[in-house]
Amino acid sequence: MAHIQLPEFEDMTPAIQEKARPILEKTGKLGEIFKLLALDEKLYFATDGMIQRFLLDETELSYEIKESIALLISKENGCKMCVDVHKGIAKMLGLSEKRIEEVLNGVEAIETSEKEKALLTFCIKASKKENYKILKEEIDALKALGYTDIQIVEAVAITGYFNYINTLSNVFALGE
């Protein structure tokens, strides 16, 4: 049970209800993270914009890499709810059960290129408290593997997003 009172559909603003309605029609329920964000319209729409732009829209990184980052960072942060949610999203986006299990077993367990492993390992390092110790040489190494500046920034932005959403979920005991 969440550590704070989460709003029900009827308690949400009309603008958020409009976003909630299709989810309710499709799944019959709203997740706790949705309800937590629905406490404040600015918070909800800022977060929704990040979800749309980083994860759902087609971007410079493949859905497979983006969902791998989502799963890895959520697992690193101990966010069971986000891991469970993103296992489902990953399947919906076409990731195989095998790939999802590999990701959840860590970067070295993933059957993929060394290039992709390097980016995922970098994202894990970027998610840590001491990310300020990342050196230019580490970013240059990703570029030498063929990643563009935009792809690297996008990967770090997704990493930061999951640190953010995992923190909200963990602090307020969502999904327990």
Side-chain angles (χ1 to χ4, degrees), residues 59-62 65 69 115 119 123 142 146-158:
T59 64
E60 295 290 320
L61 295 175
S62 69
I65 290 175
I69 294 169
K115 175 183 176 180
L119 182 67
C123 288
L142 290 174
Y147 286 107
T148 66
D149 288 346
I150 294 169
Q151 289 172 317
I152 296 166
V153 170
E154 184 179 324
V156 173
I158 292 167

Coordinates of all heavy atoms in Angstrom, one line a residue, residues 59-62 65 69 115 119 123 142 146-158:
T59 N 12.7 7.3 -31.9 CA 13.8 8.2 -31.6 C 15.1 7.7 -32.2 O 15.0 6.7 -33.0 CB 14.0 8.4 -30.1 OG1 14.4 7.1 -29.5 CG2 12.7 8.9 -29.4
E60 N 16.2 8.2 -31.8 CA 17.5 7.8 -32.4 C 17.9 6.4 -31.9 O 18.7 5.7 -32.5 CB 18.6 8.8 -32.0 CG 18.4 10.1 -32.6 CD 18.7 10.2 -34.1 OE1 19.6 9.5 -34.6 OE2 17.9 10.8 -34.8
L61 N 17.4 6.0 -30.7 CA 17.6 4.6 -30.2 C 16.5 3.7 -30.5 O 15.3 4.1 -30.5 CB 17.9 4.7 -28.7 CG 19.1 5.5 -28.3 CD1 19.2 5.5 -26.7 CD2 20.4 4.8 -28.8
S62 N 16.7 2.4 -30.7 CA 15.7 1.4 -30.9 C 14.9 1.2 -29.6 O 15.3 1.5 -28.5 CB 16.3 0.1 -31.3 OG 17.0 -0.5 -30.3
I65 N 16.7 -1.1 -27.2 CA 17.7 -0.5 -26.4 C 17.0 0.3 -25.3 O 17.4 0.3 -24.1 CB 18.7 0.4 -27.2 CG1 19.6 -0.6 -28.0 CG2 19.5 1.2 -26.3 CD1 20.5 0.2 -28.9
I69 N 17.3 -0.3 -21.3 CA 17.7 0.7 -20.3 C 16.7 0.7 -19.2 O 17.1 0.7 -18.0 CB 18.0 2.1 -20.9 CG1 19.1 2.0 -21.9 CG2 18.2 3.1 -19.9 CD1 19.3 3.3 -22.8
K115 N 29.1 -3.3 -28.8 CA 28.7 -1.9 -28.9 C 27.5 -1.6 -28.0 O 27.5 -0.6 -27.2 CB 28.3 -1.5 -30.4 CG 27.8 -0.1 -30.6 CD 27.4 0.1 -32.0 CE 26.7 1.5 -32.2 NZ 26.3 1.7 -33.6
L119 N 27.1 0.6 -24.3 CA 26.1 1.7 -24.0 C 25.3 1.4 -22.8 O 25.1 2.2 -21.9 CB 25.2 1.9 -25.2 CG 24.1 3.0 -25.0 CD1 24.8 4.4 -24.9 CD2 23.1 3.0 -26.1
C123 N 25.2 3.4 -19.2 CA 23.9 3.9 -18.6 C 23.8 3.5 -17.2 O 23.4 4.3 -16.3 CB 22.7 3.4 -19.4 SG 22.5 4.1 -21.0
L142 N 32.3 5.6 -26.5 CA 31.0 5.3 -27.1 C 30.9 5.8 -28.6 O 30.4 5.2 -29.5 CB 29.9 5.8 -26.3 CG 29.6 5.1 -24.9 CD1 28.6 5.9 -24.1 CD2 29.3 3.7 -25.1
G146 N 30.5 4.1 -32.6 CA 29.5 4.5 -33.6 C 28.3 5.2 -33.1 O 27.4 5.5 -33.8
Y147 N 28.3 5.4 -31.8 CA 27.1 6.2 -31.2 C 27.3 7.7 -31.5 O 28.4 8.2 -31.4 CB 27.0 5.9 -29.7 CG 26.4 4.6 -29.4 CD1 27.2 3.6 -28.9 CD2 25.1 4.3 -29.7 CE1 26.7 2.3 -28.6 CE2 24.6 3.0 -29.4 CZ 25.4 2.0 -28.9 OH 24.9 0.8 -28.6
T148 N 26.2 8.3 -31.8 CA 26.2 9.8 -32.0 C 26.0 10.5 -30.7 O 25.6 9.9 -29.7 CB 25.1 10.2 -33.0 OG1 23.8 9.9 -32.4 CG2 25.2 9.4 -34.3
D149 N 26.3 11.8 -30.7 CA 26.0 12.6 -29.5 C 24.6 12.5 -29.1 O 24.3 12.4 -27.9 CB 26.4 14.1 -29.8 CG 27.9 14.3 -29.9 OD1 28.7 13.4 -29.5 OD2 28.3 15.4 -30.4
I150 N 23.7 12.6 -30.1 CA 22.2 12.5 -29.8 C 21.9 11.2 -29.1 O 21.1 11.2 -28.2 CB 21.4 12.8 -31.1 CG1 21.6 14.2 -31.6 CG2 19.9 12.5 -30.8 CD1 21.0 14.5 -32.9
Q151 N 22.4 10.1 -29.7 CA 22.1 8.8 -29.1 C 22.6 8.7 -27.6 O 21.9 8.1 -26.8 CB 22.7 7.7 -29.9 CG 22.0 7.5 -31.3 CD 22.7 6.5 -32.2 OE1 23.9 6.6 -32.3 NE2 21.9 5.7 -32.8
I152 N 23.8 9.2 -27.4 CA 24.4 9.1 -26.0 C 23.5 10.0 -25.1 O 23.2 9.6 -24.0 CB 25.8 9.6 -26.0 CG1 26.7 8.6 -26.9 CG2 26.4 9.7 -24.6 CD1 28.1 9.0 -27.2
V153 N 23.2 11.2 -25.5 CA 22.4 12.1 -24.7 C 21.0 11.4 -24.4 O 20.5 11.4 -23.3 CB 22.2 13.5 -25.3 CG1 21.2 14.3 -24.6 CG2 23.6 14.2 -25.3
E154 N 20.4 10.9 -25.4 CA 19.1 10.2 -25.3 C 19.2 9.0 -24.3 O 18.3 8.9 -23.4 CB 18.6 9.7 -26.6 CG 17.3 9.1 -26.6 CD 16.8 8.6 -28.0 OE1 17.1 9.2 -29.0 OE2 16.1 7.5 -28.0
A155 N 20.2 8.2 -24.4 CA 20.4 7.1 -23.5 C 20.6 7.6 -22.0 O 20.0 7.1 -21.1 CB 21.6 6.3 -23.8
V156 N 21.3 8.7 -21.8 CA 21.5 9.3 -20.5 C 20.2 9.9 -20.0 O 19.8 9.8 -18.8 CB 22.6 10.3 -20.4 CG1 22.7 11.0 -19.1 CG2 24.0 9.5 -20.7
A157 N 19.4 10.5 -20.9 CA 18.1 11.1 -20.5 C 17.1 10.0 -20.1 O 16.4 10.2 -19.1 CB 17.5 11.9 -21.7
I158 N 17.1 8.9 -20.8 CA 16.3 7.8 -20.4 C 16.7 7.2 -19.0 O 15.9 6.9 -18.2 CB 16.2 6.7 -21.5 CG1 15.5 7.2 -22.7 CG2 15.6 5.4 -21.0 CD1 15.7 6.4 -24.0

